[in-house]
Amino acid sequence: MTFDPKSLSQSWPLPSTPRPIVTFGAGSIVGDAHYPAYRKGGFPIAGLYDPDHEKAKAAADTWGVTAFRTVEEAVAVENAVFDLATPPAAHARVLSALPDGAAVLIQKPMGSDLPAATEILKICRAKKLKAAVNFQLRFAPMMLALKDAIEKGLLGEVVDFDVYLALDTPWQLWAFLEGLPRIEIAMHSIHYLDLIRQVLGDPKGVHAKSIGHPNHKMAQTRTTAILDYGDRVRCAVSINHDHKFGRRHQACEFRVSGTEGGAYVQLGVNLDYPRGEPDILEIYPKGGTDWVTVPLDGTWFPDAFTGRMANLQRFVAGEDKELVSSVEDAWMTMAVVEALYESSAAPATPLAQRPE
């Protein structure tokens, strides 16, 4: 049977009756990804709130929405879905102010560490919030297609998952990160860890080392990690955000191998961020004789954000049975993150000493 690359699913269905969106936070991610995605998906945007009202007003004027002056004004919007584009330390405070039973999308990470994630989980449970975390990479067209290919058996049993990044990330765009104790894994690689969990499930344990770089003050920008899935599956993550020597040998890619086929993915947005390069998905299907390029309809930014919001709104409306990356599931991604930091802080296995 010939593999038709156009047969793979790449988008999430939209809700029949979109609800208005109220955003907390007016950082660059709102204008770069959230609002372009919501407009593309036809979601009504009611407005946004930020403690810096002038910043909120500037963003609101750009997008033709309301800049709320108070939290109380923002949460009073009827039938709203709340979009938390806030720093991790602010999540719990904003969640506590939302109406009971509200629908909410929480920016990753789910708190600054696992205890904070646990507090957020408890708040969501107590207030019966319909809450998901914005692990939107799962909704990128290339990743939806990859998931579909795996579910259709085109790779056989997945036995190898490689994540490899060597690029020049403009950390200066996120000045608030400087001084934070956890950067690379918690703020960046968390996307890849979450996607790995979707494909492979929860690992048995982890090994990791995450470090900074002498040329800047960010806490960590380079990570090497192994996720232990037993003796049938190898999973490795190699991240270097400080490969500043021109585009020629930079990379941002996944290699997923199965017993009968394979997949290659390029995550283009991280190459020359935020302008980015094209995403790429190639499949070597079961029974095939060569790699097949999958034509992609959309990109990680902004299309994945559209799908992420669509799933939440459809779940609230009863149109989707599963809330993808719910706070219950996202807590496990945070548990992987916590284990990686613990592993990185632990001493390495020492070498034996040469006998005298």
Side-chain angles (χ1 to χ4, degrees):
M1 183 177 179
T2 303
F3 164 55
D4 179 7
K6 295 182 181 179
S7 68
L8 298 178
S9 175
Q10 295 188 32
S11 62
W12 203 271
L14 296 170
S16 301
T17 307
R19 296 188 178 204
I21 296 170
V22 173
T23 300
F24 287 86
S28 62
I29 193 67
V30 175
D32 290 343
H34 288 227
Y35 282 4
Y38 300 158
R39 282 282 162 83
K40 186 172 184 178
F43 298 109
I45 303 171
L48 75 167
Y49 168 81
D50 193 283
D52 183 341
H53 185 68
E54 292 305 312
K55 186 177 180 181
K57 185 72 164 54
D61 289 347
T62 299
W63 290 94
V65 300
T66 299
F68 300 113
R69 288 193 170 275
T70 66
V71 171
E72 291 75 18
E73 187 180 347
V75 302
V77 175
E78 291 187 11
N79 209 35
V81 171
F82 298 100
D83 178 32
L84 270 61
T86 44
H91 293 345
R93 183 170 64 255
V94 176
L95 290 168
S96 296
L98 299 183
D100 289 356
V104 55
L105 182 60
I106 306 167
Q107 183 59 281
K108 60 80 190 166
M110 187 179 163
S112 303
D113 51 27
L114 195 59
T118 302
E119 180 188 6
I120 287 169
L121 181 62
K122 289 180 178 179
I123 292 171
C124 292
R125 286 174 173 175
K127 294 179 69 65
K128 294 182 171 55
L129 300 177
K130 300 175 182 68
V133 176
N134 198 3
F135 289 130
Q136 80 293 128
L137 181 56
R138 294 192 185 197
F139 294 88
M142 57 190 168
M143 296 309 180
L144 289 173
L146 173 63
K147 182 174 181 287
D148 196 20
I150 292 171
E151 290 179 346
K152 288 177 175 175
L154 296 177
L155 276 61
E157 177 191 355
V158 176
V159 293
D160 217 275
F161 201 125
D162 261 321
V163 175
Y164 178 68
L165 275 68
L167 39 73
D168 180 12
T169 297
W171 293 103
Q172 68 276 7
L173 294 178
W174 307 284
F176 73 92
L177 295 177
E178 189 169 325
L180 294 181
R182 293 181 171 187
I183 302 293
E184 203 290 310
I185 298 172
M187 304 300 291
H188 187 93
S189 286
I190 191 170
H191 282 299
Y192 315 141
L193 299 168
D194 183 70
L195 190 87
I196 289 168
R197 284 190 57 247
Q198 185 182 40
V199 174
L200 298 177
D202 294 328
K204 296 179 179 181
V206 302
H207 307 274
K209 188 67 178 179
S210 191
I211 60 176
H213 193 281
N215 287 350
H216 56 68
K217 296 179 180 179
M218 290 293 177
Q220 310 94 24
T221 52
R222 296 176 291 163
T223 299
T224 300
I226 297 171
L227 276 61
D228 183 358
Y229 284 96
D231 295 335
R232 289 184 67 84
V233 179
R234 184 188 73 93
C235 181
V237 178
S238 177
I239 310 290
N240 178 7
H241 290 278
D242 296 286
H243 196 276
K244 300 177 182 292
F245 314 112
R247 174 64 184 89
R248 182 175 177 182
H249 293 300
Q250 291 180 347
C252 185
E253 57 196 23
F254 291 1
R255 286 179 174 84
V256 184
S257 302
T259 52
E260 299 178 88
Y264 170 85
V265 183
Q266 174 178 288
L267 294 77
V269 70
N270 290 330
L271 299 163
D272 191 23
Y273 184 90
R275 182 171 54 186
E277 295 183 8
D279 293 332
I280 296 172
L281 173 62
E282 296 180 358
I283 302 286
Y284 195 108
K286 175 183 177 180
T289 58
D290 202 353
W291 289 92
V292 179
T293 299
V294 177
L296 294 173
D297 183 18
T299 57
W300 181 0
F301 283 51
D303 295 274
F305 291 78
T306 304
R308 171 61 282 181
M309 177 56 73
N311 168 244
L312 174 58
Q313 294 218 7
R314 284 175 58 87
F315 178 79
V316 173
E319 294 174 308
D320 278 355
K321 293 182 180 179
E322 178 192 5
L323 179 58
V324 179
S325 295
S326 69
V327 287
E328 300 289 340
D329 180 69
W331 189 94
M332 290 305 304
T333 294
M334 293 298 294
V336 174
V337 168
E338 192 72 23
L340 288 167
Y341 278 113
E342 289 181 11
S343 178
S344 183
T349 302
L351 303 183
Q353 296 300 306
R354 184 183 295 113
E356 296 294 335

